[in-house]
Amino acid sequence: QKEVEQDPGPLSVPEGAIVSLNCTYSNSAFQYFMWYRQYSRKGPELLMYTYSSGNKEDGRFTAQVDKSSKYISLFIRDSQPSDSATYLCAMGSGNTPLVFGKGTRLSVIA
Amino acid sequence: GAVVSQHPSRVICKSGTSVKIECRSLDFQATTMFWYRQFPKQSLMLMATSNEGSKATYEQGVEKDKFLINHASLTLSTLTVTSAHPEDSSFYICSARSASQGNIQYFGAGTRLSVL
């Protein structure tokens, strides 16, 4: 079993839809969790980070962590065509490098 | 958020030549920098981790003599692809982290290397 599992998609939704992106993980030692957005041929851009179970909201984005289930989610409300990108979950512990999911390709259709 | 600058964004070179890629943290001191490689529609593949003033730690399967990493200061790391060949063509991305930024890794914009 891979440390981090993420459905690669592609996921296609109409503009205005609520998008749900998810990752599961196997390593219970992970302490912090992040979501990055990567546009084509660009570096990943940090969207959200959290260190605990629960929800964290920032504008149209909500990150959710359930450590008991080893499951994290990113919700995008009122999705826009500009949200079309690849979304990478990442997690880590201590000073080790982040472990990334494979990324989910999202297309928001106008 | 913190800014990481990577240069050049695009490089085309002939087979056998060496290419140097620079990664700078502009507004924070990066105690640790990471170098990744990414193939089309694939996730990030960690190549090596470097701490300022120390030798880089390479991931299994990454040739350290092929991919030379230098992290001489708290704001600059370089990756040199030596004697590049067409199979080295890829998207290379650096990332930086510091204690002041928690454990967040910030990424550069990436360098697209094409070896002819």
Side-chain angles (χ1 to χ4, degrees):
Chain A
Q1 182 186 10
K2 293 183 180 177
E3 273 196 298
V4 179
E5 298 273 7
Q6 183 176 11
D7 187 338
L11 180 61
S12 184
V13 301
E15 183 176 0
I18 296 174
V19 176
S20 173
L21 305 167
N22 311 293
C23 288
T24 59
Y25 63 95
S26 58
N27 188 346
S28 58
F30 286 142
Q31 299 169 312
Y32 44 89
F33 307 87
M34 297 165 195
W35 285 95
Y36 288 85
R37 177 176 62 196
Q38 186 177 23
Y39 291 112
S40 181
R41 302 191 180 197
K42 297 291 184 183
E45 167 195 2
L46 180 68
L47 278 179
M48 302 282 286
Y49 71 92
T50 182
Y51 296 89
S52 59
S53 285
N55 294 351
K56 182 176 182 179
E57 189 173 320
D58 184 1
R60 295 185 295 113
F61 299 92
T62 299
Q64 191 175 79
V65 174
D66 183 346
K67 287 188 176 182
S68 62
S69 301
K70 298 189 182 67
Y71 188 88
I72 69 170
S73 300
L74 177 70
F75 298 97
I76 307 174
R77 290 183 298 281
D78 187 25
S79 56
Q80 303 295 310
S82 58
D83 294 328
S84 299
T86 295
Y87 290 80
L88 297 150
C89 64
M91 46 201 80
S93 61
N95 290 323
T96 58
L98 291 175
V99 179
F100 285 87
K102 286 193 170 185
T104 300
R105 284 189 292 135
L106 171 68
S107 293
V108 181
I109 311 300
Chain B
V3 179
V4 176
S5 174
Q6 186 173 343
H7 178 81
S9 59
R10 181 86 163 95
V11 59
I12 302 171
C13 69
K14 292 182 178 179
S15 186
T17 60
S18 294
V19 173
K20 180 183 283 189
I21 303 169
E22 288 190 353
C23 181
R24 294 179 185 273
S25 56
L26 297 186
D27 50 2
F28 67 101
Q29 294 186 322
T31 49
T32 307
M33 285 190 171
F34 308 88
W35 287 94
Y36 293 85
R37 185 172 180 176
Q38 188 176 37
F39 293 103
K41 298 184 180 180
Q42 299 286 320
S43 190
L44 304 168
M45 184 187 81
L46 180 65
M47 298 175 67
T49 301
S50 73
N51 293 297
E52 185 265 339
S54 303
K55 288 185 178 180
T57 301
Y58 290 81
E59 295 298 302
Q60 191 172 10
V62 178
E63 299 175 61
K64 62 180 180 181
D65 295 328
K66 174 75 170 174
F67 300 100
L68 300 178
I69 293 171
N70 184 282
H71 189 171
S73 78
L74 283 171
T75 59
L76 174 65
S77 177
T78 61
L79 168 67
T80 301
V81 183
T82 62
S83 186
H85 291 284
E87 58 266 29
D88 298 322
S89 299
S90 191
F91 192 54
Y92 294 89
I93 313 174
C94 72
S95 176
R97 182 181 75 188
S98 78
S100 66
Q101 302 289 334
N103 292 304
I104 298 171
Q105 287 182 218
Y106 294 97
F107 286 84
T111 297
R112 184 161 304 280
L113 171 64
S114 298
V115 184
L116 305 178

